[in-house]
Amino acid sequence: MNLNRREFIKLGLKAAVVAGGIAAVSASLSPKEKYWGFVVDLTRCIGCGKCVQACRTENKVPEGFYRTWVERYTVTEEGQVLVDSPKMGEEGYTPYPPETDISKIKGGYFVPKLCNQCENAPCVAVCPVGATYMTDDGVVLVDYEKCIGCGYCVSACPYGARYLYPEDGESEYMRGKVDKCTWCYHRVVRGLEPACVYVCPTKARVFGNVLDPNSDVRKYYRLKLKQPRPKTGADPKLYYYTG
Ligand code: SF4
Ligand code: SF4
């Protein structure tokens, strides 16, 4: 079977995630190559919102818009799941959702969300001018020079990860163009972590080179992980660890 590099990596990751094994993948990859991966450990997230705040500052995200956000899922004794996200989690959470009978709460968890850098990204497929594309190291970016702000990609993204940068936004060159999380690619190419990963006090956000067998992200591939809504067919490269 002849596979190009991306297909090979994908196959390796799937095998690692499904079977929990990574030895065959690491043995065949050049240590010089990079392909970025992201895991969110839901057992660690405390819903503090520091990631959302750091993202806003780092990426000049205008008020009322988000490249990343945090949702709270509260499970009741009756098995009901209540979802809330005041200010998209940016200011953290009260201990319990408002107007909820505390005696009936069984448990809950926080779910940080961001662009999944989908392998089969609908946003890339629909862009009429090729402004949205994937880099060789696996990150979906927007070329702001090419973007005409038509918004097709905003509608096509099944995860609500894109928005139209407002005309009064701080970043002049992004005005009227579509913006989204890039896993802070501008930092990554300089050897830094994404801002949200850097500030997370509990290490709930894990980013790294999936081709490096010693990376933290690869360690998570030994565990059972979940893709966000896999039925979309977009094949997200962001995974969740739920314990
Ligand atoms: Fe969760 Fe970390 Fe974000 Fe706080 S900074 S909300 S712990 S992911
Ligand atoms: Fe595109 Fe949405 Fe997937 Fe991000 S999450 S790559 S914006 S389809």
Side-chain angles (χ1 to χ4, degrees), residues 115-118 121-123 140 157-159 161-162 180:
C115 173
N116 302 309
Q117 313 299 346
C118 306
C123 59
V140 175
C157 172
Y159 302 98
R162 291 178 165 248
K180 72 163 193 75

Side-chain angles (χ1 to χ4, degrees), residues 57 95 103 168:
T57 305
S103 66
D168 59 356

Side-chain angles (χ1 to χ4, degrees), residues 169-180:
E170 185 185 342
S171 171
E172 218 169 295
Y173 78 97
M174 277 158 60
R175 290 176 190 161
K177 313 292 171 97
V178 164
D179 187 37
K180 72 163 193 75

Side-chain angles (χ1 to χ4, degrees), residues 17-46:
V17 171
V18 173
I22 54 168
V25 185
S26 58
S28 315
L29 297 167
S30 160
K32 286 184 184 162
E33 289 189 90
K34 290 193 168 74
Y35 205 74
W36 302 110
F38 207 124
V39 174
V40 180
D41 184 342
L42 299 189
T43 69
R44 287 177 170 265
C45 180
I46 56 172

Side-chain angles (χ1 to χ4, degrees), residues 1-242:
M1 180 165 50
N2 290 322
L3 298 171
N4 66 32
R5 189 171 73 88
R6 185 167 295 157
E7 287 166 339
F8 176 75
I9 292 162
K10 205 172 153 191
L11 195 68
L13 292 188
K14 288 249 188 274
V17 171
V18 173
I22 54 168
V25 185
S26 58
S28 315
L29 297 167
S30 160
K32 286 184 184 162
E33 289 189 90
K34 290 193 168 74
Y35 205 74
W36 302 110
F38 207 124
V39 174
V40 180
D41 184 342
L42 299 189
T43 69
R44 287 177 170 265
C45 180
I46 56 172
C48 65
K50 291 199 184 312
C51 49
V52 185
Q53 296 160 21
C55 175
R56 183 176 303 292
T57 305
E58 177 70 28
N59 297 299
K60 297 184 172 58
V61 180
E63 287 297 326
F65 297 90
Y66 299 86
R67 279 184 171 205
T68 186
W69 65 98
V70 181
E71 297 173 359
R72 170 167 60 186
Y73 290 68
T74 305
V75 185
T76 68
E77 292 287 355
E78 291 89 26
Q80 232 189 334
V81 181
L82 312 170
V83 186
D84 71 331
S85 186
K87 297 195 176 164
M88 305 303 253
E90 187 166 1
E91 294 173 8
Y93 284 88
T94 53
Y96 302 100
E99 296 167 29
T100 308
D101 183 348
I102 295 172
S103 66
K104 291 191 174 159
I105 292 177
K106 194 175 161 196
Y109 50 94
F110 296 99
V111 183
K113 298 199 169 175
L114 58 161
C115 173
N116 302 309
Q117 313 299 346
C118 306
E119 197 63 48
N120 187 25
C123 59
V124 173
V126 300
C127 180
V129 293
T132 288
Y133 66 102
M134 193 188 291
T135 62
D136 282 346
D137 46 4
V139 178
V140 175
L141 299 179
V142 179
D143 181 336
Y144 298 106
E145 296 290 321
K146 287 187 182 170
C147 178
I148 53 172
C150 65
Y152 287 1
C153 56
V154 177
S155 309
C157 172
Y159 302 98
R162 291 178 165 248
Y163 69 95
L164 197 60
Y165 201 89
E167 292 295 347
D168 59 356
E170 185 185 342
S171 171
E172 218 169 295
Y173 78 97
M174 277 158 60
R175 290 176 190 161
K177 313 292 171 97
V178 164
D179 187 37
K180 72 163 193 75
C181 162
T182 61
W183 289 0
C184 280
Y185 196 69
H186 61 289
R187 288 173 57 93
V188 170
V189 293
R190 285 159 40 214
L192 302 171
E193 293 176 312
C196 62
V197 175
Y198 181 72
V199 300
C200 178
T202 61
K203 298 196 182 307
R205 290 175 178 243
V206 183
F207 173 84
N209 180 11
V210 300
L211 305 186
D212 175 358
N214 298 315
S215 67
D216 287 343
V217 80
R218 270 290 286 275
K219 287 171 193 159
Y220 270 93
Y221 284 151
R222 299 185 182 117
L223 307 173
K224 194 177 170 201
L225 303 175
K226 290 182 180 164
Q227 265 183 328
R229 291 195 288 127
K231 284 185 181 165
T232 63
D235 198 5
K237 287 203 292 291
L238 177 137
Y239 291 91
Y240 289 107
Y241 175 64
T242 59

